[in-house]
Amino acid sequence: MTTHQIALGIDIGGSGIKGAPVDLVRGAMIGDRHKIETPQPSTPEAIGAVVAQIAQHFADVVPPDAPVGITVPGVVEQGVVRFVGNIDQAWTDFDGDTMFEELLGRSVHVINDADAAGVAESRYGAGRDRSGLVIMTTLGTGIGAALIHDGVLIPNAELGHLEIDGHNAESRAAASARKREGLTFQEWAEERLQRYYSVVENLFWPELFIVGGGISRKAEQFLPFLRLRTPIVPAALQNAAGIVGAAAVAADHAAGR
Ligand code: BGC
């Protein structure tokens, strides 16, 4: 059994595909991430070609046998994508692990993007050493969620799709909804996030909410408006959480953990 110290993390999103080598001891990216626009249509083949390009870009830094972790914005069971919201529907029931392993010639593991971010925050970031239930939410094009209980991930919690007030929650409370509807940060927080997080805390009674996604860099502009029972903090790894978590989970997977 090899214990890898470096793995490559790649985060597939609706608008961009980002990757970076990850130092698994520190839980941090090594250098800058490399970003390529998501091809349209965003089929597995088209995205596969971009992923291969990103792996090639880091060939000097990442050992050739280092595992690769890849996130997708959807439900993934044992490396097989079951449902996607914001990328091409050809991903439904697609065996991501097998395709990427053939393409990259090494151990690859595909997981949900928010789950990856949650694992990174729980091991290296804002959820470190926390017991009980921590809920990581990512606010971006959609809303991603990860449930972490006593440091253990309960995968594929699709809490962005809760039906709230007759709407799919992410269509009203994601960061994309704020932009689309031209809401200020305060309006978005008070009218949308307040309702969303209240429903989630009343269903799950978590001990901590962590907020990730690109918008978490601006957390001071919206978190202070929320009145919740549960403490709510920005992700410590900010937008790197998905990449770092994907790499960490891929290393576990390669080691048979
Ligand atoms: C998907 C989730 C994903 C989230 C963030 C949602 O639309 O259903 O699986 O984690 O978007 O990308």
Side-chain angles (χ1 to χ4, degrees):
M1 189 178 87
T2 332
T3 307
H4 294 275
Q5 301 227 336
I6 293 182
L8 181 63
I10 298 181
D11 195 13
I12 298 173
S15 57
I17 302 175
K18 296 154 250 166
V22 172
D23 175 338
L24 297 170
V25 179
R26 288 188 302 125
M29 299 193 305
I30 304 168
D32 289 336
R33 42 181 213 181
H34 184 57
K35 179 177 175 181
I36 297 179
E37 246 176 56
T38 306
Q40 297 303 337
S42 48
T43 56
E45 292 69 26
I47 287 187
V50 172
V51 164
Q53 236 178 298
I54 292 178
Q56 186 54 38
H57 180 86
F58 290 113
D60 292 345
V61 189
V62 180
D65 65 338
V68 182
I70 300 180
T71 76
V72 295
V75 173
V76 191
E77 287 176 336
Q78 329 287 350
V80 179
V81 179
R82 293 299 183 194
F83 160 86
V84 285
N86 301 309
I87 54 171
D88 198 275
Q89 290 306 314
W91 284 91
T92 311
D93 293 332
F94 188 82
D95 185 342
D97 276 15
T98 302
M99 176 185 86
F100 287 119
E101 285 192 347
E102 281 170 8
L103 196 69
L104 302 174
R106 50 196 150 148
S107 178
V108 179
H109 197 42
V110 178
I111 69 165
N112 171 266
D113 53 6
D115 283 349
V119 167
E121 287 296 324
S122 141
R123 287 196 195 169
Y124 308 108
R128 201 171 170 165
D129 301 327
R130 293 292 294 233
S131 56
L133 180 64
V134 173
I135 301 188
M136 167 93 195
T137 53
T138 61
L139 304 174
T141 309
I143 296 182
L147 304 183
I148 315 270
H149 187 256
D150 287 347
V152 176
L153 172 73
I154 303 158
N156 295 314
E158 285 287 315
L159 303 187
H161 297 290
L162 280 173
E163 186 181 317
I164 300 179
D165 304 327
H167 298 274
N168 183 5
E170 70 173 23
S171 72
R172 315 241 317 154
S176 60
R178 187 190 78 81
K179 273 207 167 157
R180 194 173 53 240
E181 299 183 42
L183 303 175
T184 64
F185 276 101
Q186 182 168 359
E187 287 164 343
W188 178 53
E190 291 179 347
E191 294 165 23
R192 307 297 173 81
L193 297 181
Q194 177 65 39
R195 179 84 181 117
Y196 180 68
Y197 285 107
S198 300
V199 169
V200 176
E201 74 174 356
N202 288 336
L203 287 173
F204 291 92
W205 290 77
E207 302 203 3
L208 178 69
F209 280 127
I210 304 175
V211 181
I215 201 92
S216 62
R217 277 193 299 269
K218 301 184 177 159
E220 76 291 346
Q221 294 190 50
F222 59 93
L223 290 188
F225 295 113
L226 299 179
R227 300 286 168 261
L228 300 163
R229 178 175 62 233
T230 315
I232 183 162
V233 297
L237 287 87
Q238 295 187 340
N239 223 10
I243 289 174
V244 171
V249 171
D252 287 354
H253 182 77
R257 288 192 290 263

